Amino acid sequence: MEITEKIVKKHGLKKEEYHRIKKLMKRDPNLLELGIFSAMWNEHCSYKSSRLHLKKLPTKGKQVIQGPGENAGVIDIGDNDAIVFKIESHNHPSYIEPYQGAATGVGGILRDVFTMGARPIALLNSIHFGSPSHPKTKSLLNGVVSGIGGYGNCMGIPTVAGETKFNDTYNENILVNAMAVGHTNKNKIFYSKAKGVNKLVVYVGSKTGRDGIHGASMASAEFDENSEEKKPTVQVGDPFTEKLLLEACLELMKDDSIIAIQDMGAAGLTSSSVEMASKGSLGIELELDKVPCREKNMTPYEMMLSESQERMLIILEDGKENYAKKIFKKWDLDFVVIGKTTSTNNLTLKFHGKIEGEIPIDALSSKAPIYDRKWSKKKASKKKTDIKKLKKIKLEDALVKILSSPNHSNKSWITNQYDQMVMGDTVQRSGSDAAIIRIHNKNKAIAVSVDSSANYCKSNPVSGGKQIVCENWRNIISVGAKPLAITNCLNFGNPEDEKIMGEFAECLIGIKEACEFLSYPVVSGNVSFYNGTNRKNIFPTPVIGGVGLINNLKKPLNHNFKNENNIIILIGKTFGHLDQSCYLKENYSIHDGMPPEINLLNEKNNGDVVLNLIQANLVSAAHDVSSGGLVVALSEMSIGSNLGIKIEKSKKLRNTAQYFFGEDQGRYVLEIDKKNLISVEKTLKNNDIFYENIGITQKDYFEIEGEMRLSINDLYEINNQWYNNY
Amino acid sequence: MKSSVIVFPGSNCDRDIAVALEKMQFKNKMVWHKETSLPKSDLIVIPGGFSYGDYLRSGAIAGKSLIISEVIKAANSGCLILGICNGFQILTETGLLKGTLLRNKNLKFINKDVNIKVLNNKSKFTSKYKLNQVLKINIAHNEGNYFTNEKHLTELNTERLIAFKYCDKNGNINENSNPNGAIDNIAGIFNSKKNILGMMPHPERMIDNMISNTDGVNLFSSLLN
Amino acid sequence: MVELSLLNSRKNKLKFSIIVTLKKEVLDPQGKVVQNTLNNLGMGNLKDIRQGKYFEIEIDEIDQSLAEKKVTQMCEKLLVNLIIEDYKINKI
């Protein structure tokens, strides 16, 4: 069959890319080979637009065992324990079919973690929807939430933290990012690098169907007009099979049978086999007749490009076939030897005894195109809102408006649909700054949190990029954990647009700077471009997932006030930055201006000292100050505890709104028992930390001198009503 | 005291219950569903989870597994059987307990801490609790809405076979304190010989103050008596 | 009068059944597990099972083709997830 320009285009390949393929192949590819190139050279697998920028991120540190480039990142948390984690997007499938899209997103990220030998111990998610009033939002929201819950609950892995945000920018393109965290012994980590020639290549898990064969199969429909049935289909998640796959893989991993293992995610059999061969500088030969198929008459093209879920590819040590097979049989899973490693450095595909395709591995991996796409710097916005010129709104009214808004209202109606307690080690469930998961049978724990700030990133990508890293860092610190490393999911628009590419490049500059300064390396991640429709790109939405360590787990710290008559201290300077704030958005619909500046030096000092105070047991509650400013942070600390506050008016107060709603960074609210006050203040002074004693905790009432007095019950009601009325 | 935990494909609270049993000094064994005989046990636990993915009906397929006929034999000879969450669903599918568990009234999975009241403490499972004691225990299920016919409901009441009912923190049993729509707020029931207990809440999640509370401990210590 | 209106309403009612199944090429995890279990229970000659949903709908309408149109709309708007499911409407 002749490969026409049209076929090339349908495979998402540019003309120049096709020429490159022919050069690398030294001949014209056939359709199967073209499909494989299209899968390996697309943005998702090749990172062709992002690679040059990603390379600049800090990925090393003494805590890092494995940085980006494997199925997931791995960090060392001492005592031979390792934490394996990664975040990934499933945006487009979730928009088409929210339940299955979100569910298979969770399934995919879980496989990335247990492929490396780790038992998943926590799931997190960051989900972004359009305006609540958009006709599609409600069903997308419900579908995504039940999909995430459906998969994680069935797997028996607690979903412990996340964020749900609404913004017009996602009206036509929602974001569903799922993060998985696993635990293993650091000497039992499994990688995807093949070693040795003539080793068996084994297919395990579910059967292969015509799931998710993208552009590819649309193209094939043209060649075969009678094949109505070859339309691309949505992948359906089967968490039950995945649970079996998890247990079977972990059982096999107790032994030394596995040389390399790779999950079949995007571009399934193609990417998994190429990945393993490429890392091992080997060739791989597959006999496609042996691939377990769910449907009849599947072609090599379909088998190689199918994205059926719950499958893995394993390269086995000699003599381990029967042993391994027995384990997979016990778990009722397919286990089929479908090929072997070779010394040819080619991907060789046989079907019915004939070679149907043969491609040099490096053409698919190291020689894939990399683009230095044009990008332009964002012009700084000169707009500044003069708060004095705005109609005055009472503090209480502004607070009520924010606390009852979709973005700030309590999300327990979502988190109650996730099993947060299964596995018996959830020390702190969602709702706090970070969730805490105990390491099984040990007296230590990890803290995990995911964060994003699309509005900040849109108005100033560099400082927005810095801000999310810092906010994530603060969230981990606020529960008393030492931040160790992050994973990132970079959701952006069309990279062929200079401005969008600029947003990407600049956000990464910000992320890099903050990560370097805070020694908070990136160990894994995922890039999702082309979010948006009809040339309307989404706001740049990098999502940061962080992991921290609590070495000596005594009493977990959360943000709820603990006792009345305790002192409330605000750490960090309040300048009253209102541009890009939630206050101006919710109350005045003002979206202009620059986000708050990030002072990394203060950020680090404040964070380090707060962590010291928490570790010295001098803090009763801690909360980072973020969207909504000081007063929203204080409300959240009250609502969770039934204890109120009495805040004295600051002597230096310039403007009430600026002081209470300003979103200056690097700040924390701490609740301090009076008996600890002297030592706390001493430490703060010794470390040159700017702080203010702003008031005390009290029973029942949320009170700001001369401004407002509201009962905690009312505050709770205000914060919990939105979804009930939605 | 010897216990066995039955493990089905898709069980996922098997480790949690094993941790709880061992913490409470049970000598515990895990039993894979394909096995055809049970180790000698004083207590058999069918744990929570999604056996067979909860496909078809929750508990339906596990109810047809090889080991279940052994569990039924053991039950009939008086062995103590505890079914938690999916385990409760499986017990109703096998007929060891009457009634069934429907989808939650709000059609959503619910995971939260709820209060339940001890309605009968004269059983091997509940003797360490006080009568009418209010416990705070975690629930996590999609199908926990207990339903049974009028006749059985009368029997449950007259024979005092209701172990726990959902209530509020002050012990009031009403619609507001019913998380899933269960008939008469029923959270757990005994069979007529009271050697079988099926319950939706997860006592094994409430044995450690670091994680939650210790309201589940007395269920296990009752069994040790 | 009451009886007459009852009679009329009965006359106006058309009844349909709708069977919704996953599309043939879409993975059916439930069907797969049920099939395995039945096989294990000794039903060895069982070849394939697909699980689905069943609806019965009554429509206040005399004209059958109009009624069918309505039912089709119901299917496409709500009852069926067209991305992964097929449906069949039958008059009963």
Side-chain angles (χ1 to χ4, degrees), chain A residues 79-314:
Chain A
D79 320 309
N80 281 333
D81 292 310
I83 294 296
V84 179
F85 66 105
K86 190 184 181 186
I87 191 167
E88 205 163 63
S89 64
H90 225 213
N91 304 339
H92 296 124
S94 302
Y95 185 73
I96 296 169
E97 214 307 296
Y99 184 95
Q100 297 299 346
T104 50
V106 172
I109 196 66
L110 283 171
R111 281 195 301 286
D112 280 335
V113 163
F114 71 78
T115 308
M116 300 205 65
R119 178 174 286 281
I121 57 172
L123 281 165
L124 298 88
N125 57 74
S126 170
I127 52 182
H128 302 247
F129 300 91
S131 155
S133 59
H134 189 276
K136 276 198 155 170
T137 298
K138 193 171 175 177
S139 67
L140 287 170
L141 171 66
N142 286 330
V144 166
V145 169
S146 16
I148 290 174
Y151 210 99
N153 297 344
C154 183
M155 287 288 290
I157 294 151
T159 301
V160 294
E163 53 166 13
T164 306
K165 292 189 172 172
F166 301 92
N167 188 325
D168 294 347
T169 187
Y170 310 112
N171 277 352
E172 310 292 333
N173 192 119
I174 61 171
L175 302 183
V176 174
N177 294 178
M179 171 170 164
V181 183
H183 167 248
T184 187
N185 182 308
K186 82 170 185 197
N187 304 311
K188 287 294 271 178
I189 298 168
F190 291 82
Y191 297 99
S192 56
K193 182 179 168 180
K195 269 178 243 139
V197 173
N198 271 327
K199 305 288 179 194
L200 298 184
V201 176
V202 184
Y203 172 118
V204 299
S206 279
K207 292 189 194 321
T208 298
R210 293 189 176 98
D211 304 317
I213 303 169
H214 299 235
S217 123
M218 276 186 261
S220 73
E222 272 211 346
F223 318 126
D224 185 357
E225 276 163 15
N226 306 325
S227 58
E228 250 297 284
E229 287 178 10
K230 283 188 183 169
K231 279 185 192 144
T233 53
V234 168
Q235 309 150 27
V236 170
D238 181 358
F240 170 60
T241 299
E242 175 122 326
K243 166 79 175 160
L244 304 184
L245 189 59
L246 162 71
E247 298 302 337
C249 285
L250 292 182
E251 197 171 324
L252 179 59
M253 284 164 167
K254 283 183 190 152
D255 173 89
D256 299 320
S257 309
I258 296 175
I259 298 173
I261 177 165
Q262 173 79 33
D263 115 81
M264 291 192 224
L269 201 46
T270 295
S271 70
S272 53
S273 52
V274 171
E275 193 91 2
M276 294 203 287
S278 143
K279 283 194 176 131
S281 305
L282 290 166
I284 200 163
E285 181 182 300
L286 303 179
E287 284 180 61
L288 295 174
D289 311 74
K290 294 188 176 157
V291 171
C293 286
R294 203 173 71 223
E295 294 168 71
K296 277 184 210 142
N297 303 325
M298 285 190 64
T299 62
Y301 182 94
E302 290 167 330
M303 288 181 215
M304 288 307 289
L305 296 181
S306 160
E307 297 197 340
S308 290
Q309 301 285 302
E310 293 95 20
R311 303 179 298 161
M312 296 261 195
L313 207 57
I314 296 175

Side-chain angles (χ1 to χ4, degrees), chain B residues 26-39:
Chain B
F26 283 79
K27 286 207 174 63
N28 186 52
K29 278 202 173 129
M30 306 305 271
V31 181
W32 182 239
H33 72 114
K34 280 181 186 164
E35 284 171 36
T36 45
S37 69
L38 277 165

Side-chain angles (χ1 to χ4, degrees), chain A residues 442-512:
Chain A
K442 295 208 175 160
N443 195 30
K444 63 181 184 185
I446 53 162
V448 286
S449 172
V450 282
D451 298 281
S452 65
S453 305
N455 291 323
Y456 288 179
C457 291
K458 179 68 187 171
S459 61
N460 185 340
V462 177
S463 73
K466 279 192 247 180
Q467 191 272 342
I468 33 169
V469 175
C470 291
E471 181 172 347
N472 183 266
W473 198 71
R474 281 199 295 273
N475 280 329
I476 300 285
I477 283 181
S478 299
V479 300
K482 182 180 165 40
L484 290 181
I486 63 168
T487 178
N488 58 21
C489 195
L490 306 168
N491 307 280
F492 287 79
N494 185 343
E496 293 159 48
D497 177 330
E498 233 173 87
K499 280 187 196 142
I500 302 299
M501 198 59 214
E503 289 174 348
F504 181 78
E506 291 202 286
C507 271
L508 281 188
I509 292 172
I511 291 174
K512 166 190 185 284

